[in-house]
Amino acid sequence: MRAARVLLRPVGFAGFGLLTLVLLAAAFGPVLWGGRAAAVDTGNLLAGPSAEHWIGTDNLGRDLFARVLVAARLSILLAVAATAISLLLGILLGAAPMLLGRRLGRLVTSAVNVLVAFPGLLLVLFFAVVFGVGARGAVLAVGVAGAPAFARLCHTLMAAVSERDYIAVARIAGVSRIRVLLRHVLPNVAEPLVVNATMAAGGVLLTFAGLSFLGLGVQAPSYDWGKLMQDGLNGIYVHPLAALGPGIAVVLAGLAFNLTGEAFAAMFGLGDSPGRSRSLEEPREPVAATPAVPGTVLSVEGLRVTIPGPAGPIRAVRGVTFSVSDGEAVGVVGESGSGKSLTALALAGLIEPPVRVEAGHLVVAGEDLMAAGAHRRLGTSLAIVFQDPMTSFNPAHRVGPQLAEVSRFHQRIGRRAALARAVDRLRAVRIREPERRARQYPFEFSGGMRQRAMIGMGLMGDPRLIIADEPTTALDVTVQRQVLELLAEVRRDTGAALLLISHDVSVVTDVCDRVLVMYAGRVVEELPAKDLRTLARHPYTRALVAAVPDMDTDLSRPLAVIPGLPADPVHVPAGCAFAPRCPLADDHCRAVAPALVAGVACHKATEVPV
Amino acid sequence: MSTLSFHDVRVRYGSHTVLDDVSLEVADGQTVGLVGESGCGKSTLARAAVGLAPLTGGQILLDGRPVPNRGRRPVQMVFQDPYSSLDPRMTVGESLAEAMPERLGRTARQAEIARLLALVHLDAARAADLPVRLSGGQRQRVALARALAARPQVILADEITSALDVSVQGAVLNLIRDMRRDLGLSMLFISHNLAVVRYVADQVAVLHNGQIVEFGPTAQVLGAPRHDYTRHLLAALPGAVPLKEQM
């Protein structure tokens, strides 16, 4: 249980423990010590600490320790009331764009932005004067002064939520604005609000103490901690504890609120969560080192990628063995969760702890990636193209220098020569006016152009292998074709091999010579690309191909579907991972995992009619 | 079910024209596929029909009357991303109940929820689950069921299969075809995937730079395209023509 785990950590334990004590004092203080705190002892005025009066007495001889305990109720009530006012006003102001429509909402938001710019204390003093001296005035002043910060927070949080489609859906369904706010928006922003309100309560407590100390807050005969501090200040050199006692109470209560807020944040997963720094506890299984297949640009045996997870290690890749010959184009297809992208990342040496990569050998362009420092020696023999071309470039740098950096780092050539090469490479990937484009930022490029520039970056060196992970998934079909043609052209010109990862069977068959089909972290079939549609033997491959409609699909029949759900990578079944969804599976399939033999990992491969 | 017609619809953001005098009719009981590249205005057309995008000109009529853009819309929309279109804090049943046109009693509501879930081939027990327990395909079915819960006259499906894995996509496409056959739904089916549109749509409209460049029966538009842009789209399909740089 996440809440229990948070409670047992020092922050949670201290926070909730302190808060419980403070709240108990607030609830029962006046009942238990009320009499003692009001008892006047004229024989003991302004006395110092003694066994009877732990932190001394005030100018009427009343016990200060009892008064500090009794003052807890008023201090906490004021702080909570003011925080509630801030929160409520903040929510109303923050929701203004949603409730009032765009134009009025913008006005409110601008006003809030102006108010946020004022120092908080200035606002508090201003409102304290407006609302008048006294406890009620102070609560209103602190509450109203805190509202802009909450309004800003609410506005940001709500703006993020109102972008979500379910808000649009609710509006289309005729749900009123207020109901959308109450049912859909507030529940989804509640967690950060609760955390912030708890922490703000600690700050508000301090502000109150300050106001009362200045004489603007609570007035005699009532008293809160600030008032007690003010009273004790006169004798600070004689009896320091009279002023420090209530001060310590403020610090403790403030800490209680702040630590509780931290604990809430951890519980809601906003801050540093207790489950994050998990590492793999299980020992590594020894993997026998094996030599690379000669004549290949990429050779991997028994590749395993394991991710630590809250419910146990996630075995994303479970023993993948294959090789890519010089100049060959190999495709990897599979659905999400099949481990194809993690395989690509592992081959590119881009996986870092706590995710664990194991392999008998993993050799790319002659460098053993399992050895230390291999990634640097790999240099420019490996080029990588990712799915999202927007995130693979640094948005703050111009495109040309980003390409040039590759050559400056790996080939140690000068700035000018590197930039000239960058322009030349941009031209090679068919970007028009490469000199001008090199000076532009990534956002000025279209998606297809960014993807070309990314390929251009790979060509800064002399790649022997290009790994492309879903390079066209984010692109339109017409642009996709241009990028695929570019990849084919680059292969022809440079003789580089290509490893193309895609969920799209037709893209892979278009570009590649050979295809690996992955399911639940394993290669289940390996076959020539041209045979994928007609000669596949694994039931999964056949189902995958049949499930995708193409321009020749029979319109009179329903599409083939794969029943059931993909294998859970935390609990992969002992036998064939596809068995629960396979029409041919028997007890043997469910008990024994099939090995990849003659291009297919299936006990029933011989029974499948081709 | 009814006819949804767009008449000279124009949507402009600042100086940027997204839709330029688009006229299109989704006839009673028909599924019209809308294809085009990203940014061509496909989604904007659907959003305009439910009042999520303001019209600069033209009108959108349902059986000859303007589509109301407040309150419960007689036109319902299903969105692309099944992870964004369900409120993570509401159970499947609550999401469906919210979309229902009238307030029902407890038992009647549960019966209606079970009926809707059965329509999209989901078990009635799913009503108590939060979206986090559902897979992408299951979520998209719930989203469809919720659109049906509002008893719409027309459904707008905006790229509803493009965020799904291919094996799940097939199941959702089959469902769309079943629903049209069993319920006689009128539907505007937006997709960038021509093969998917070919499989579900009776008619296809091709949108390019905010204008409809071709509209007609699916077999005719995709089989014998008349506009250059349609031909260009078809030629770009993987496998349509061998890559010219292939080794």
Side-chain angles (χ1 to χ4, degrees):
Chain A
M1 194 54 213
R2 197 179 168 118
R5 239 187 4 240
V6 167
L7 257 182
L8 288 177
R9 290 204 313 162
V11 170
F13 190 74
F16 284 106
L18 267 178
L19 192 67
T20 311
L21 286 182
V22 169
L23 292 181
L24 281 177
F28 299 110
V31 184
L32 294 179
W33 297 289
R36 202 177 143 88
V40 176
D41 180 0
T42 44
N44 222 350
L45 301 181
L46 291 172
S50 63
E52 202 180 332
H53 305 292
W54 288 1
I55 58 171
T57 60
D58 68 359
N59 52 4
L60 288 177
R62 294 174 291 199
D63 180 54
L64 274 176
F65 187 66
R67 286 174 77 77
V68 167
L69 290 174
V70 172
R73 177 181 284 184
L74 188 60
S75 303
I76 300 295
L77 271 183
L78 291 177
V80 169
T83 311
I85 291 176
S86 295
L87 187 61
L88 208 68
L89 277 178
I91 290 174
L92 282 179
L93 289 174
M98 198 171 283
L99 295 178
L100 301 178
R102 199 176 297 170
R103 212 163 284 169
L104 265 174
R106 195 174 292 167
L107 202 72
V108 173
T109 309
S110 316
V112 165
N113 286 345
V114 171
L115 283 176
V116 168
F118 281 98
L121 193 62
L122 193 69
L123 281 182
V124 171
L125 292 176
F126 171 75
F127 285 118
V129 173
V130 171
F131 291 120
V133 171
R136 184 187 298 166
V139 166
L140 285 173
V142 175
V144 173
F150 271 108
R152 181 65 157 288
L153 177 71
C154 286
H155 180 237
T156 315
L157 292 171
M158 288 178 182
V161 171
S162 52
E163 292 285 299
R164 311 287 287 180
D165 288 337
Y166 56 78
I167 303 293
V169 169
R171 280 180 58 196
I172 297 171
V175 180
S176 70
R177 285 172 174 179
I178 292 186
R179 273 180 75 84
V180 167
L181 179 69
L182 293 180
R183 290 196 65 170
H184 294 286
V185 178
L186 280 183
N188 284 299
V189 301
E191 292 169 356
L193 277 188
V194 167
V195 170
N196 273 281
T198 316
M199 294 199 176
V204 165
L205 194 77
L206 221 62
T207 313
F208 262 109
L211 274 186
S212 296
F213 183 77
L214 291 175
L216 288 170
V218 175
Q219 303 297 315
S222 313
Y223 54 97
D224 68 345
W225 288 328
K227 182 91 176 75
L228 290 180
M229 278 196 279
Q230 188 198 21
D231 294 344
L233 189 70
N234 299 329
I236 185 116
Y237 295 114
V238 190
H239 303 302
L241 270 181
L244 289 183
I248 290 168
V250 170
V251 169
L252 283 179
L255 265 179
F257 279 114
N258 272 315
L259 292 178
T260 307
E262 289 280 352
F264 273 141
M267 214 184 287
F268 297 144
L270 298 170
D272 147 55
S273 88
R276 195 182 273 177
S277 54
R278 182 184 305 275
S279 63
L280 286 169
E281 279 116 24
E282 59 181 44
R284 281 170 186 270
E285 291 170 43
V287 186
T290 47
V293 181
T296 58
V297 65
L298 165 73
S299 175
V300 58
E301 181 172 334
L303 177 71
R304 282 205 293 267
V305 180
T306 315
I307 307 165
I314 299 165
R315 296 174 212 286
V317 181
R318 307 179 296 137
V320 164
T321 301
F322 71 99
S323 58
V324 178
S325 309
D326 275 315
E328 195 186 14
V330 174
V332 179
V333 290
E335 298 185 82
S336 45
S338 62
K340 60 186 190 305
S341 285
L342 277 170
T343 303
L345 287 176
L347 297 178
L350 290 178
I351 292 183
E352 291 180 349
V355 179
R356 186 196 288 173
V357 178
E358 294 157 295
H361 68 257
L362 170 45
V363 177
V364 177
E367 293 293 342
D368 181 3
L369 284 191
M370 301 308 283
H375 198 227
R376 200 185 163 100
R377 287 196 302 276
L378 195 57
T380 55
S381 342
L382 174 68
I384 305 166
V385 183
F386 291 110
Q387 170 172 352
D388 186 354
M390 194 65 223
T391 53
S392 35
F393 278 105
N394 183 338
H397 288 226
R398 294 171 202 274
V399 171
Q402 288 197 55
L403 263 67
E405 199 181 8
V406 176
S407 288
R408 295 188 58 203
F409 180 74
H410 286 292
Q411 293 150 331
R412 308 258 167 231
I413 60 176
R415 177 193 293 265
R416 187 159 301 175
L419 203 57
R421 182 160 174 82
V423 170
D424 178 63
R425 296 293 87 186
L426 286 177
R427 186 178 294 118
V429 294
R430 303 253 181 88
I431 285 181
R432 280 182 213 153
E433 305 178 70
E435 290 88 0
R436 186 173 69 84
R437 287 293 184 180
R439 288 193 300 271
Q440 289 187 327
Y441 288 96
F443 71 87
E444 295 174 270
F445 279 44
S446 70
M449 260 202 295
R450 273 197 293 268
Q451 209 58 306
R452 286 151 187 264
M454 193 70 209
I455 296 172
M457 187 187 272
L459 296 180
M460 288 302 286
D462 191 15
R464 291 182 57 202
L465 173 67
I466 302 170
I467 295 180
D469 183 6
E470 302 268 10
T472 60
T473 304
L475 304 177
D476 274 314
V477 60
T478 47
V479 187
Q480 160 174 305
R481 186 165 183 88
Q482 294 163 4
V483 170
L484 293 179
E485 279 174 357
L486 178 64
L487 279 174
E489 185 190 319
V490 164
R491 280 183 56 215
R492 190 195 55 200
D493 293 349
T494 65
L498 173 69
L499 184 71
L500 177 71
I501 286 96
S502 179
H503 71 284
D504 191 335
V505 174
S506 45
V507 165
V508 169
T509 45
D510 235 20
V511 177
C512 299
D513 309 319
R514 191 154 55 96
V515 178
L516 308 171
V517 182
M518 284 190 71
Y519 184 79
R522 285 209 174 135
V523 174
V524 296
E525 187 158 15
E526 177 178 353
L527 73 173
K530 62 177 173 22
D531 296 342
L532 187 62
R533 286 182 190 280
T534 47
L535 295 176
R537 286 180 293 161
H538 198 285
Y540 175 68
T541 314
R542 297 165 70 92
L544 191 66
V545 170
V548 186
D550 59 25
M551 298 308 276
D552 306 312
T553 304
D554 183 356
L555 295 180
S556 60
R557 287 196 303 180
L559 287 172
V561 294
I562 307 176
L565 293 174
D568 178 356
V570 180
H571 308 285
V572 186
C576 172
F578 188 61
R581 308 172 75 184
C582 181
L584 304 172
D586 57 19
D587 289 343
H588 182 57
C589 295
R590 282 182 275 273
V592 181
L596 187 69
V597 178
V600 62
C602 177
H603 297 306
K604 301 284 175 184
T606 49
E607 296 175 24
V608 180
V610 171
Chain B
M1 288 296 157
S2 331
T3 301
L4 178 72
S5 47
F6 298 82
H7 292 284
D8 301 327
V9 168
R10 183 181 286 253
V11 173
R12 214 182 263 171
Y13 292 113
S15 62
H16 180 55
T17 303
V18 183
L19 292 175
D20 191 6
D21 291 339
V22 170
S23 296
L24 179 68
E25 185 170 283
V26 182
D28 191 16
Q30 295 280 300
T31 299
V32 174
L34 183 62
V35 299
E37 292 178 35
S38 52
C40 73
K42 298 189 302 277
S43 295
T44 308
L45 191 67
R47 296 177 77 89
V50 290
L52 293 176
L55 291 189
T56 317
Q59 50 185 347
I60 301 171
L61 304 177
L62 184 67
D63 292 332
R65 280 190 296 277
V67 182
N69 58 7
R70 347 190 83 233
R72 189 175 309 275
R73 323 286 207 271
V75 176
Q76 289 288 316
M77 185 161 167
V78 182
F79 291 82
Q80 172 174 1
D81 180 4
Y83 291 88
S84 162
S85 64
L86 296 178
D87 187 333
R89 307 281 164 142
M90 284 168 84
T91 64
V92 168
E94 285 166 353
S95 278
L96 293 180
E98 187 183 65
M100 290 176 191
E102 66 268 11
R103 286 185 163 268
L104 298 170
R106 194 180 152 75
T107 42
R109 191 170 63 230
Q110 245 132 33
E112 175 71 359
I113 289 170
R115 184 187 74 87
L116 289 165
L117 289 177
L119 274 182
V120 296
H121 308 317
L122 281 177
D123 190 36
R126 286 288 176 198
D129 282 346
L130 285 174
V132 69
R133 306 213 21 195
L134 305 182
S135 69
Q138 288 171 331
R139 284 167 186 243
Q140 205 58 303
R141 286 165 199 232
V142 173
L144 264 171
R146 185 178 49 189
L148 293 174
R151 299 193 181 263
Q153 287 158 292
V154 179
I155 286 193
L156 310 172
D158 186 6
E159 298 274 11
I160 58 171
T161 61
S162 52
L164 303 177
D165 264 320
V166 286
S167 65
V168 184
Q169 164 180 292
V172 172
L173 292 179
N174 285 339
L175 175 64
I176 293 280
R177 294 205 349 161
D178 290 352
M179 284 187 349
R180 186 190 53 176
R181 190 188 59 220
D182 300 342
L183 308 174
L185 282 177
S186 316
M187 183 180 296
L188 182 67
F189 188 92
I190 299 173
S191 179
H192 68 279
N193 186 329
L194 294 181
V196 164
V197 167
R198 173 180 171 274
Y199 191 69
V200 297
D202 304 302
Q203 290 163 309
V204 175
V206 182
L207 193 62
H208 181 48
N209 286 339
Q211 289 179 317
I212 302 254
V213 296
E214 189 159 1
F215 177 61
T218 306
Q220 184 193 316
V221 173
L222 300 183
R226 281 169 300 161
H227 195 279
D228 279 346
Y229 180 71
T230 317
R231 280 195 282 271
H232 179 60
L233 272 183
L234 284 164
L237 286 177
V241 185
L243 285 177
K244 65 172 181 248
E245 306 292 349
Q246 189 97 32
M247 291 205 297

